[in-house]
Amino acid sequence: MKRYDLIIIGAGPSGLSAAIEAAKRKMNVVVFDENARPGGQLFKQIHKFFGSKEHKAKIRGFVIGEQLLKEATDLGVDVELDSTVMGIYPNREIVVRQGDHVNHFKGDSIIVATGAAENMVTFDGWTLPGVIGAGAAQTMMNLHGIKPGNKILMLGSGNVGLVVSYQLLQAGCEVVALVDAAPRVGGYGVHASKVARTGVPFYLSHTIVKADGTDHVTGVTIAEVDSKFQFIPGTEKHFDVDTICLAVGLSPMSQLLKMAGCEMDNSGPAEVPVIDESGATSVPGIYAVGDVAGIEEASSAMIEGRMAGIKVAEYLGFEEAEKGDKEFDKNVAALDGLRQGMFAPRNRGKKIEKTEEGIDISENLLLHGFVADDEIERFPGVTHRAGVHPVMECTQNIPCNPCEDACPKHVIEVGSNITNLPHIVEGNECIDCGMCVASCSGQAIFLINEDTGDGKAEVTMPYEFLPLPTEGQTGKALSREGKPVCDATVVRVRSSKAYDHTNLVTISVPKDMVMKARFFKAV
């Protein structure tokens, strides 16, 4: 039986991060993962992360996965793939199925980082081929290059549903509707806005009645629900679709922890281990990090992994307590930064009525997925001035500040509190470099020139679709709602390595449409 200082179960963001911290401290570390590829959810995440530099903000998820894997292997971490951990037994012994063999390993410590599984909902026809989880759709698109379907309805308006809806559009799918039984959009407003401006309608307080089809999905019927989530007769709406995506939450995969005898908490919607700040469970030497200990973003999972890796090293004598505690405290502060703002864990389930600055939140954003024209001007990032200048349609307090770091002329400021709404620094002039537009993880920044002469104005927007528009191409400018508002002509297309695959498309529109035109559609 082979022995390791540390056995990690799960090669996702938290598991790899823990492995790196432990290996830095000269521990003998192995990571087991049941998949053929390491990285967990990271390699499916083609969008840019939120947060700050220390949280790997504005870096795409799959790039973060590549960075973590390289760092771990360079430090000598043994990453064993296609290795399913079947059980944890007394004295931290595990049994692993590898190919046709079942092998036993012993660890002086174990970190469980098994992540979470997608939830499903039942309705008439839910077992038909074509009803899939949003995570499965991401796997098909972003790992295997396969379109999940042609016409798709998305159920769920949390971050997963919003992000995957956008990625479905990028893959060339038509998203006919985004539906949620909840009365409000559940995910970040910037994610909802970038979906809405492409023309996808939102149906809040609606859910699926049935899926049509005999051997595969051919259509879906939704209906409005009341406050008790009961269908309201006469509100049915039908869509012709070939695929239904479900993004209705995640459940921690905590079975191994339960098997190991760890104390479990059943008070919430899912069973999770009882842990302390370092991830330590009630069983000495066994830790839990990432989604298995509670659903959060991948950025949080990485920090939790680092914290556990440091504490395991202390626990086994590979790190001096004083030095380890200093590193641990830095990560505690970084994690606390991510747990601030409107979407902080303490605010789950609450209706936030004002921003931290005291500004009324956008009700239209919560109900329909986009900020209305009569609401947008109240936010500090939306300003008017001569010449090219940024307009930041960031309307919720989320932890994110890449725009501040990206601007070489310091035109944009977020401030010491990472959840502050960004604003313009008076006296500093924009040079139209486009770095703020490209760096915004929520695609919520536009460069505006309100008067270019002859009754025209220009809007520069982020664009992550193929084929790219070409200079001189004509089409329609779409509003925040995704409705055509005017004719538009492409006057400039910029692509740069520094933009990291976020292209900048500048369109010319009538002056009175400059604060309404937010997307370009070729005709």
Side-chain angles (χ1 to χ4, degrees):
M1 183 188 303
K2 192 168 184 179
R3 189 197 70 80
Y4 291 90
D5 297 322
L6 172 61
I7 291 172
I8 297 175
I9 306 172
S14 59
L16 289 176
S17 297
I20 289 166
E21 292 300 328
K24 283 179 181 176
R25 292 159 173 82
K26 309 303 181 185
M27 294 177 66
N28 185 18
V29 183
V30 64
V31 181
F32 293 108
D33 195 287
E34 64 183 358
N35 297 298
R37 235 180 130 176
Q41 301 301 309
L42 286 174
F43 282 97
K44 300 193 291 187
Q45 296 178 342
I46 62 174
H47 57 281
K48 296 177 180 179
F49 273 37
F50 292 83
S52 64
K53 284 182 179 178
E54 64 183 342
H55 305 122
K56 297 186 181 293
K58 77 174 182 179
I59 302 176
R60 297 185 187 274
F62 71 92
V63 176
I64 296 173
E66 291 168 352
Q67 292 173 347
L68 291 177
L69 181 60
K70 183 179 186 304
E71 189 174 358
T73 53
D74 286 351
L75 287 165
V77 175
D78 182 8
V79 180
E80 299 278 344
L81 303 175
D82 294 312
S83 300
T84 302
V85 177
M86 302 167 63
I88 301 177
Y89 296 92
N91 299 314
R92 295 176 297 280
E93 179 183 338
I94 69 169
V95 175
V96 186
R97 180 172 58 80
Q98 298 176 299
D100 296 329
H101 301 280
V102 174
N103 299 313
H104 294 246
F105 300 89
K106 181 83 162 35
D108 291 342
S109 57
I110 295 175
I111 292 178
V112 178
T114 45
E118 291 192 276
N119 295 337
M120 293 290 115
V121 293
T122 59
F123 45 84
D124 188 13
W126 77 285
T127 59
L128 283 170
V131 180
I132 61 175
Q138 264 193 318
T139 300
M140 294 169 71
M141 293 184 293
N142 302 341
L143 292 184
H144 304 296
I146 299 170
K147 283 176 65 175
N150 292 310
K151 298 185 71 173
I152 300 173
L153 180 136
M154 176 65 71
L155 181 66
S157 69
N159 279 335
V160 172
L162 298 172
V163 167
V164 175
S165 291
Y166 192 75
Q167 292 174 5
L168 287 165
L169 295 167
Q170 290 177 304
C173 306
E174 178 186 354
V175 179
V176 301
L178 200 150
V179 179
D180 200 316
R184 304 187 298 274
V185 170
Y188 288 175
V190 288
H191 283 322
S193 294
K194 69 184 184 183
V195 174
R197 73 174 72 114
T198 67
V200 176
F202 282 61
Y203 291 91
L204 281 300
S205 295
H206 282 72
T207 194
I208 295 174
V209 177
K210 65 174 182 176
D212 298 329
T214 52
D215 57 355
H216 64 278
V217 171
T218 59
V220 60
T221 299
I222 67 172
E224 190 174 354
V225 295
D226 60 22
S227 60
K228 296 181 180 179
F229 298 101
Q230 300 300 306
F231 293 121
I232 300 174
T235 63
E236 294 82 4
K237 302 167 185 67
H238 183 268
F239 299 91
D240 292 326
V241 299
D242 54 39
T243 305
I244 299 169
C245 265
L246 305 180
V248 290
L250 303 168
S251 292
M253 297 177 67
S254 57
Q255 297 91 336
L256 287 173
L257 291 160
K258 190 173 182 179
M259 182 180 184
C262 300
E263 182 183 352
M264 306 298 289
D265 180 1
N266 297 291
S267 61
E271 190 172 47
V272 295
V274 176
I275 58 173
D276 67 12
E277 192 176 40
S278 70
T281 70
S282 61
V283 177
I286 296 181
Y287 295 71
V289 294
D291 281 350
V292 72
I295 308 300
E296 288 191 84
E297 300 294 324
S299 301
S300 299
M302 287 186 284
I303 299 173
E304 290 174 0
R306 292 200 292 267
M307 291 165 62
I310 293 168
K311 283 301 180 180
V312 167
E314 283 189 26
Y315 172 73
L316 295 178
F318 286 86
E319 179 66 284
E320 296 178 3
E322 184 176 353
K323 183 179 178 182
D325 287 349
K326 287 183 179 178
E327 287 297 312
F328 183 84
D329 290 343
K330 288 180 183 177
N331 282 288
V332 170
L335 185 59
D336 184 61
L338 284 176
R339 289 174 171 170
Q340 301 302 315
M342 293 181 175
F343 293 85
R346 65 179 180 275
N347 289 329
R348 285 177 184 164
K350 296 180 182 178
K351 182 181 179 182
I352 307 298
E353 297 185 351
K354 290 184 179 293
T355 69
E356 292 172 0
E357 294 81 5
I359 303 168
D360 290 340
I361 57 94
S362 166
E363 284 291 333
N364 207 75
L365 176 64
L366 298 179
L367 296 176
H368 304 292
F370 65 95
V371 182
D373 291 342
D374 61 357
E375 296 174 322
I376 196 66
E377 296 283 346
R378 71 176 68 146
F379 297 99
V382 180
T383 59
H384 304 276
R385 53 166 62 180
V388 176
H389 61 94
V391 167
M392 297 158 289
E393 299 190 357
C394 190
T395 66
Q396 293 177 326
N397 300 113
I398 56 177
C400 196
N401 68 359
C403 56
E404 181 179 69
D405 292 333
C407 182
K409 294 299 181 180
H410 309 292
V411 177
I412 300 172
E413 183 177 71
V414 172
S416 58
N417 186 348
I418 194 176
T419 62
N420 287 345
L421 297 179
H423 62 272
I424 296 292
V425 178
E426 292 299 328
N428 294 349
E429 293 299 323
C430 175
I431 59 173
D432 193 20
C433 67
M435 288 303 298
C436 60
V437 179
S439 71
C440 179
S441 306
Q443 297 189 19
I445 299 180
F446 304 85
L447 292 178
I448 304 296
N449 188 339
E450 299 183 37
D451 189 355
T452 59
D454 299 326
K456 296 288 187 179
E458 289 181 356
V459 180
T460 298
M461 62 189 65
Y463 199 91
E464 293 189 355
F465 296 91
L466 293 175
L468 274 178
T470 56
E471 291 185 16
Q473 186 173 8
T474 58
K476 292 292 183 181
L478 305 188
S479 66
R480 297 178 186 88
E481 187 182 3
K483 303 287 188 182
V485 290
C486 64
D487 293 332
T489 302
V490 177
V491 296
R492 191 179 181 190
V493 178
R494 285 180 275 178
S495 300
S496 166
K497 185 176 180 180
Y499 295 162
D500 187 17
H501 302 287
T502 298
N503 307 288
L504 272 57
V505 173
T506 303
I507 60 174
S508 176
V509 297
K511 279 177 58 176
D512 60 348
M513 290 291 112
V514 70
M515 291 305 294
K516 296 182 179 181
R518 289 299 176 264
F519 193 69
F520 175 78
K521 186 174 183 179
V523 294

